[in-house]
Amino acid sequence: MTARVFSHTICTLGEGAFWHPERAQFFWFDILGKKLLTRRGQDEQVWAFDDCVSAAGWVDHDKLIMASANALWRFEIKTGKREKLTELEADNPVTRSNDGRADPQGGFWIGTMGYNAEQGAGAIYRYYRGELRRLFGKITISNAICFSPDGGMAYFTDTKDGRVMQQALDADGWPKGDPQVYLDLRDQDFGADGAVIDARGNFWNAQWGASRVACYAPDGSLIEARSVPTPQASCPCFGGADLSTLFVTTAADGLSGDDMAGKTFAIETNTTGQPEHRVIL
């Protein structure tokens, strides 16, 4: 099915696609534009910040957890006020936050990376019940953080490396054992970017440079791919009344003469997504 433009707002680096299940409302970010965006009906709202912001999860009907370049915040949707929960590599001016998503156990995973994608400068963290713990280091471009429906498996990638990893989780959502390779995309001419897993356990990956979101089965086999009309697809999520609409952010950064670059798209699918999981602060 054809991708339609959901938002004509141009994002330099669209990311953090997120559907709030209680509000039935879509949120997304422009990381380099330092903005959080949302839309209800035809009304679009934008919050501007002094620092890069990249990913969110829902805490309750009116509050989000939000990642910025150097902190995690509690964000009040009604007022636009934010309160710092914890610092995130605040002593490292080289890095900023990037991809993130809530896990089924109530934790929030967030990745970091260098502003200029410095080799191995980033990491992946988990925030759970007030504790921020570093899980994986020496990450160049953190991406594809998502979770199996039963909460037993996490997925992530270092886009620079080209392999999507899967990590077994314990009952509290912490990693157990070592990560294993789920997809090896090192021979491809695109980068694995943001990802989300649907209710069937299929992995939907925005593929930077390929103008598409590709769907893979739990065993890693390719099921299908959905096209977007600009090369730099960055992050998908499922939303809409029955969670069957695939929203996809894109990036205009580095593209000139492409009037679709940086817009946000919606694609009707034949599958159902998982509701975004609630974060326990």
Side-chain angles (χ1 to χ4, degrees):
M1 299 179 186
T2 304
R4 59 180 172 85
V5 177
F6 176 80
S7 171
H8 289 273
T9 299
I10 303 298
C11 292
T12 305
L13 179 54
E15 253 289 2
F18 162 73
W19 179 266
H20 193 308
E22 285 197 351
R23 299 177 69 91
Q25 184 174 354
F26 179 63
F27 294 83
W28 72 104
F29 292 85
D30 182 351
I31 297 180
L32 298 182
K34 302 177 180 178
K35 297 174 183 177
L36 169 64
L37 304 95
T38 191
R39 183 177 135 182
R40 298 190 82 174
Q42 298 302 312
D43 297 326
E44 194 164 294
Q45 183 176 2
V46 180
W47 294 273
F49 300 93
D50 295 330
D51 50 355
C52 292
V53 287
S54 68
W58 71 284
V59 175
D60 59 31
H61 186 273
D62 296 319
K63 289 189 285 292
L64 305 177
I65 183 172
M66 181 170 65
S68 75
N70 56 21
L72 295 178
W73 305 82
R74 180 189 288 110
F75 179 75
E76 300 280 350
I77 297 170
K78 289 184 177 180
T79 66
K81 178 183 177 181
R82 63 179 186 172
E83 175 187 352
K84 186 182 291 186
L85 295 169
T86 187
E87 293 185 339
L88 178 68
E89 297 187 357
D91 59 348
N92 187 353
V94 171
T95 61
R96 62 165 174 83
S97 64
N98 197 49
D99 188 63
R101 196 174 296 276
D103 63 39
Q105 291 86 348
F108 184 71
W109 291 47
I110 183 66
T112 62
M113 62 174 286
Y115 281 94
N116 297 305
E118 288 85 350
Q119 183 71 32
I124 293 176
Y125 298 81
R126 183 180 189 236
Y127 183 81
Y128 182 60
R129 298 182 182 268
E131 177 190 2
L132 183 68
R133 189 183 299 181
R134 188 173 184 262
L135 304 180
F136 307 103
K138 298 183 178 179
I139 302 287
T140 300
I141 304 175
S142 56
N143 263 316
I145 295 171
C146 54
F147 306 91
S148 62
D150 64 3
M153 195 73 69
Y155 296 78
F156 67 92
T157 191
D158 180 343
T159 301
K160 186 73 172 180
D161 173 74
R163 293 174 297 173
V164 178
M165 310 302 290
Q166 56 183 11
Q167 171 65 61
L169 304 177
D170 66 20
D172 291 322
W174 296 109
K176 60 179 182 180
D178 296 324
Q180 306 296 319
V181 176
Y182 167 61
L183 294 175
D184 190 339
L185 302 173
R186 288 177 292 182
D187 61 345
Q188 301 298 315
D189 58 0
F190 56 76
D193 210 294
V196 68
I197 291 180
D198 66 22
R200 301 172 183 169
N202 297 324
F203 177 90
W204 294 74
N205 179 229
Q207 297 181 330
W208 183 277
S211 303
R212 73 178 195 174
V213 179
C215 175
Y216 298 86
D219 66 2
S221 59
L222 179 64
I223 297 174
E224 61 174 312
R226 299 299 182 98
S227 298
V228 293
T230 187
Q232 294 175 171
S234 54
C235 188
C237 81
F238 284 97
D242 56 1
L243 298 180
S244 66
T245 301
L246 186 70
F247 294 95
V248 186
T249 57
T250 70
D253 190 32
L255 296 180
S256 59
D258 182 345
D259 61 3
M260 288 293 178
K263 296 180 180 180
T264 302
F265 299 90
I267 304 169
E268 302 308 319
T269 73
N270 295 318
T271 192
T272 301
Q274 300 180 68
E276 292 286 350
H277 305 291
R278 184 175 189 164
V279 177
I280 302 172
L281 298 182

